[in-house]
Structure formats: structure tokens, C-alpha cells
Amino acid sequence: SQQGEEDPQALSIQEGENATMNCSYKTSINNLQWYRQNSGRGLVHLILIRSNEREKHSGRLRVTLDTSKKSSSLLITASRAADTASYFCATDGVTSGSRLTFGEGTQLTVNP
Amino acid sequence: SQTIHQWPATLVQPVGSPLSLECTVEGTSNPNLYWYRQAAGRGLQLLFYSIGIDQISSEVPQNLSASRPQDRQFILSSKKLLLSDSGFYLCAWSLVKSPLHFGNGTRLTVT
């Protein structure tokens, strides 16, 4: 079964607005990662947050992690049309070795 | 810098035909290598991963196999394709406990 589940499945916003995507997981993790996928392409790593971290920033991205609730959120501020893509969370489970488990993704559409 | 090459980009194959997808990594040594499959509009399913030459773990029992003949070469194969093998296949590499770096994928359509 999938370790990570994203919410919502799809999100449509206007340029300049903020976009928030959530991810829930089931087992203990070493870290949680967020990836972006443009249509028909490979995934690109955005940010990694370790289990002992609560918040991390990278440019317009802000990721939070709540290990007590087994959940994470990705916030994209001041969105642009170029941010249109699918976003996936992936967990590196404590017992999974080097294998990441991906969620189903959130399809973000930013309208100009 | 490190790069990953995956080919072909698209492939249309009849049911029952063989398959060989190749992936190579440049600029790093002893990477972990992965094959993922992605159904349309869905997440990624891990098929195989390898921590070294001839060290391959299978995550999903099926008619696919993987080989790693060289340190930075990972091959996904099938002797006889099924309709259900259609999908988007992604190769990726990583160092231990580091993020994954993906190739551009192969769109496989089995007819």
C-alpha cells in the first residue's frame, strides 16, 4: 500500500496565490521528500526534511513536518504559471532501507 | 556533474514481444539504481532497486526483470510483454540516504 497520500488530488489557483498541498503517511520515517513532475517528464527533487526537523524553507517553498500526526505540508508562495505540475511526497521509512515510497500526487494548475 | 540517460523516450510494442529499457548514469560511482513505473495520473510504483552490481531486489512479482551488468548501467527487461505492462517507466539513481535523480522516462505502450 502507498505510504504517502497527498491531499488534495487536484488544485487550481490564480497566479500570485499560495498553494498548499498535504501529505500523510503511515509508518515511522527517516525523512520525507517532495518532488515535482512536469507532464511527461521525470521527477525533480524539491526539498528533503528529516524526521527531527519541523520546518524547512527553500526559495518560495516551505515544508512542514508533524511526526506526531504523520503528516507534512508543502506551501508554494506567490505561485507562477510555471509552477503548474504534479507534486509528490515520498517517504524514506525507518525499515525501508534506501527505498522511497511515493504518494499519488497533487496536480497543481496555476492560471495566469 | 552527474547525469542520467534513459532510452528510448517512447516505445510501442505488441503483446508477447520482448522488452529492453536501458539507463546509464555518469559522474558518480556506486550509485543506488531504481526502476519505477507510473500509471497515468498516479504515483510511482517501485519495481526494482539495486545497491551494487548483481545486487538487485524486486519489489513486485511480475514478468519484468532487471539487470545491472556494470556499476552505472541498469536494464529493465521482459521476455513477453503483457497489455498491463503499459505505462511510464522511470529510472533513477541516488547515493545512500540522498534524494533521487530521475531520467526523463520511457512511455511504453503495449498493443
Side-chain angles (χ1 to χ4, degrees):
Chain A
S1 61
Q2 291 288 353
Q3 166 77 311
E5 296 182 3
E6 284 93 342
D7 165 54
Q9 288 186 329
L11 180 62
S12 182
I13 59 174
Q14 297 297 122
E15 262 192 330
E17 295 180 339
N18 296 340
T20 299
M21 289 159 270
N22 303 296
C23 170
S24 61
Y25 58 92
K26 296 177 181 175
T27 62
S28 297
I29 61 172
N30 292 314
N31 64 65
L32 185 144
Q33 303 174 32
W34 285 91
Y35 289 80
R36 166 196 167 123
Q37 183 181 33
N38 285 6
S39 180
R41 304 299 297 272
L43 281 72
V44 175
H45 176 256
L46 294 176
I47 197 165
L48 179 154
I49 186 165
R50 302 190 189 285
S51 60
N52 61 352
E53 297 175 311
R54 291 298 166 257
E55 187 170 315
K56 203 161 184 180
H57 297 255
S58 177
R60 293 184 296 112
L61 305 181
R62 172 178 170 256
V63 170
T64 62
L65 179 64
D66 187 333
T67 53
S68 67
K69 295 181 179 179
K70 292 186 169 58
S71 66
S72 173
S73 67
L74 170 67
L75 169 68
I76 303 175
T77 60
S79 63
R80 305 165 182 168
D83 294 328
T84 295
S86 292
Y87 292 82
F88 295 87
C89 69
T91 51
D92 178 3
V94 169
T95 60
S96 65
S98 298
R99 293 161 290 172
L100 290 184
T101 303
F102 285 81
E104 295 289 303
T106 293
Q107 172 61 53
L108 173 66
T109 301
V110 182
N111 301 299
Chain B
S1 63
Q2 302 93 351
T3 56
I4 179 169
H5 302 280
Q6 184 181 347
W7 68 93
T10 60
L11 191 59
V12 179
Q13 292 284 95
V15 169
S17 64
L19 173 73
S20 180
L21 303 181
E22 190 162 343
C23 172
T24 59
V25 180
E26 296 177 357
T28 187
S29 297
N30 198 29
N32 292 335
L33 295 173
Y34 308 81
W35 279 111
Y36 283 87
R37 178 168 62 196
Q38 184 179 30
R42 303 295 299 276
L44 277 68
Q45 178 188 37
L46 180 61
L47 301 176
F48 301 94
Y49 76 100
S50 170
I51 61 173
I53 293 176
D54 295 329
Q55 294 178 280
I56 299 170
S57 297
S58 172
E59 293 292 300
V60 182
Q62 55 202 328
N63 68 321
L64 299 173
S65 62
S67 62
R68 185 171 177 172
Q70 300 180 43
D71 180 46
R72 291 169 289 177
Q73 183 184 26
F74 207 23
I75 298 172
L76 181 69
S77 302
S78 174
K79 292 182 179 177
K80 289 184 178 181
L81 284 169
L82 307 172
L83 284 174
S84 58
D85 291 324
S86 293
F88 191 48
Y89 288 82
L90 288 157
C91 180
W93 72 270
S94 76
L95 299 178
V96 176
K97 297 300 181 185
S98 294
L100 297 180
H101 303 272
F102 285 85
N104 283 327
T106 295
R107 175 79 55 196
L108 172 66
T109 303
V110 183
T111 60

